Amino acid sequence: MEDPHRHQHEDPPKSPTASPPSCTASTCVKCGGPTTFPAPPQPSWPEMSPPPTYRPIRSPAINLPPNNSQAIILAPVPQSQKVPTVSPPYNFQTPSKKIQSPDDIRRFHESDSGKNFLGFVVALSESVRGHKISDPCHESPTVKTILSILQTLTQWIEEIPPVQQAGRYGNVSYRTWHIRLEENSESLMLQFLPDDLKSATIEIVPYLTDSFGNSSRIDYGTGHETNFAAWLYCLARIGVIKEEDYQAVVARVFVSYLELMRKLQLVYCLEPAGSHGVWGLDDYHFLPFIFGSSQLIDHKYMKPKSIHNEDILENFSKEYMYLSCIAFIKKVKKGLFAEHSPLLDDISGVPNWNKVNSGLLKMYKAEVLEKVPIMQHFLFGWLIKWG
């Protein structure tokens, strides 16, 4: 009697393209016909070594920390505003800190001062749209004096070398540099203030002295950078910086400020203040990415993905702030760009610079101007009113 489990057939001709037999169906391994054998059991993975779970290397483009990304995407793009200049009688006062809670943040952003300050940042961004750093622009005597002041601050770094110390961050020589800044800031300011506005130093000096980092913590971050923007805003409020100066304020003054800050960061090893790690845009800066993306809007050849082209970075980083920032990050950070700067890597996938610029403006409002740990140090006086 024939064995019921036997399954006889002629050997079919071997085909080099035949699919590998499945081990999960109750079919013959040679011809694929049905058999009376039960299907073999599915393999069970031992508890100690389950199959690896697939995880994407990184998330889709501009994927911010999960709690805030949707709100940023849906938020309106901030619009530029004209800065109203003050008129006599002047009531300059020592500015003070006011923000302590999310309610205070909301109060600031609903106020005319909060809206106008952000509108000023947008106006600065628009002033360099489509312009290289070296493009000729109107440079007023005030702008030239501010550039001279920044050059003086840079020279002080040469005069105050870092001391030898064991710590990786925070060279104590920075405190000496900062003390000199505090001692000389008023006289530096009087170089360009007209006689009727010399009393403004009481209000605008604190913004300047807090624009280059914190001397006790020896750190620097986007809050200090925002104070520099607030100092420039105050100068616009008192009329010593005018709208026709905006392009020079970005392409000359802010570029010089950025170069000074990079030197301070490298020489004195300033710690990143409140760094978001890989979730952040950059350890120290935000505004040059806004201004730099505006410069590149409608550029014929350079797209957001061009940041991965080393030749473009080498040849154009001196003309475009965004590329300058990317080149600097690649110089000071080791490893794959997508690993140490995933957000910037994601942004490189955005189709055009216009979208990058509008997205960064929304992100600046949400991730810098609406964050209590950053804005708790922001100053309010007569020029930037509270409430």
Side-chain angles (χ1 to χ4, degrees), residues 133 139 143-155 157 177 208 211-212 220 225 228 231-232 247-265 285 288 291 318 321 324:
I133 288 172
E139 291 184 47
V143 165
K144 289 178 178 176
T145 306
I146 293 171
L147 288 172
S148 171
I149 290 169
L150 291 172
Q151 188 56 47
T152 300
L153 301 185
T154 304
Q155 181 60 38
I157 300 174
W177 183 92
L208 184 71
S211 295
F212 304 95
Y220 173 88
E225 181 187 68
F228 188 73
W231 179 69
L232 294 171
Q247 186 181 343
V249 165
V250 178
R252 303 290 184 270
V253 172
F254 196 84
V255 166
S256 294
Y257 168 75
L258 190 57
E259 289 171 356
L260 168 59
M261 283 318 311
R262 284 178 183 157
K263 194 161 189 175
L264 286 168
Q265 289 155 20
H285 293 286
F291 301 151
K318 288 183 173 62
M321 252 182 285
S324 167

Side-chain angles (χ1 to χ4, degrees), residues 157-196:
I157 300 174
E158 306 293 331
E159 298 168 12
I160 306 169
V163 298
Q164 293 293 320
Q165 63 179 50
R168 177 187 170 196
Y169 280 121
N171 195 284
V172 294
S173 289
Y174 171 73
R175 290 179 180 147
T176 308
W177 183 92
H178 206 279
I179 288 168
R180 190 183 290 190
L181 168 69
E182 292 169 357
E183 290 172 346
N184 292 276
S185 55
E186 185 171 354
S187 61
L188 292 171
M189 213 82 65
L190 292 173
Q191 291 179 20
F192 62 83
L193 288 177
D195 289 341
D196 62 326

Side-chain angles (χ1 to χ4, degrees), residues 34-332:
T35 73
T36 53
F37 288 106
Q42 290 288 343
S44 60
W45 304 100
E47 288 184 12
M48 292 302 292
S49 61
T53 304
Y54 171 72
R55 289 178 183 171
I57 293 172
R58 59 180 172 80
S59 304
I62 311 198
N63 199 17
L64 298 164
N67 57 343
N68 215 16
S69 56
Q70 195 64 21
I72 294 173
I73 291 166
L74 298 175
V77 180
Q79 300 298 308
S80 65
Q81 289 191 15
K82 291 186 180 297
V83 176
T85 53
V86 296
S87 53
Y90 301 126
N91 187 26
F92 301 118
Q93 57 190 254
T94 305
S96 58
K97 299 173 183 179
K98 301 288 186 184
I99 293 176
Q100 296 178 333
S101 68
D103 286 340
D104 294 334
I105 290 282
R106 278 189 290 275
R107 180 176 170 181
F108 171 57
H109 283 283
E110 288 167 3
S111 70
D112 291 338
S113 289
K115 292 173 184 173
N116 197 236
F117 174 66
L118 181 57
F120 170 70
V121 171
V122 180
L124 290 180
S125 172
E126 289 178 354
S127 73
V128 291
R129 180 170 176 159
H131 289 292
K132 299 196 297 287
I133 288 172
S134 65
D135 282 355
C137 57
H138 170 71
E139 291 184 47
S140 66
T142 298
V143 165
K144 289 178 178 176
T145 306
I146 293 171
L147 288 172
S148 171
I149 290 169
L150 291 172
Q151 188 56 47
T152 300
L153 301 185
T154 304
Q155 181 60 38
W156 291 350
I157 300 174
E158 306 293 331
E159 298 168 12
I160 306 169
V163 298
Q164 293 293 320
Q165 63 179 50
R168 177 187 170 196
Y169 280 121
N171 195 284
V172 294
S173 289
Y174 171 73
R175 290 179 180 147
T176 308
W177 183 92
H178 206 279
I179 288 168
R180 190 183 290 190
L181 168 69
E182 292 169 357
E183 290 172 346
N184 292 276
S185 55
E186 185 171 354
S187 61
L188 292 171
M189 213 82 65
L190 292 173
Q191 291 179 20
F192 62 83
L193 288 177
D195 289 341
D196 62 326
L197 288 170
K198 290 194 184 301
S199 59
T201 55
I202 189 175
E203 183 156 343
I204 61 178
V205 162
Y207 288 101
L208 184 71
T209 55
D210 206 21
S211 295
F212 304 95
N214 182 280
S215 59
S216 59
R217 295 190 302 268
I218 315 183
D219 65 6
Y220 173 88
T222 50
H224 302 106
E225 181 187 68
T226 298
N227 271 324
F228 188 73
W231 179 69
L232 294 171
Y233 175 75
C234 288
L235 297 184
R237 287 276 282 141
I238 61 178
V240 297
I241 284 178
K242 300 177 172 58
E243 250 185 273
E244 59 263 31
D245 298 320
Y246 283 6
Q247 186 181 343
V249 165
V250 178
R252 303 290 184 270
V253 172
F254 196 84
V255 166
S256 294
Y257 168 75
L258 190 57
E259 289 171 356
L260 168 59
M261 283 318 311
R262 284 178 183 157
K263 194 161 189 175
L264 286 168
Q265 289 155 20
L266 292 175
V267 172
Y268 299 127
C269 303
L270 302 188
E271 193 165 357
S275 172
H276 290 200
V278 296
W279 281 119
L281 196 65
D282 179 74
D283 282 341
Y284 298 104
H285 293 286
F286 203 115
L287 290 176
F289 293 95
I290 293 175
F291 301 151
S293 58
S294 180
Q295 284 183 281
L296 287 159
I297 289 174
D298 296 331
H299 195 283
K300 283 184 180 179
Y301 310 112
M302 278 185 270
K303 307 298 179 194
K305 65 182 178 183
S306 299
I307 67 164
H308 301 296
N309 186 315
E310 295 301 324
D311 288 339
I312 286 178
L313 292 181
E314 186 178 343
N315 291 313
F316 296 99
S317 60
K318 288 183 173 62
E319 291 287 13
Y320 297 98
M321 252 182 285
Y322 197 100
L323 303 181
S324 167
C325 290
I326 299 294
F328 184 74
I329 289 169
K330 288 189 173 186
K331 175 185 168 186
V332 298

Side-chain angles (χ1 to χ4, degrees), residues 8-26:
Q8 294 179 342
H9 53 72
E10 296 295 325
D11 285 346
K14 292 181 180 178
S15 168
T17 57
S19 301
S22 168
C23 65
T24 58
S26 56

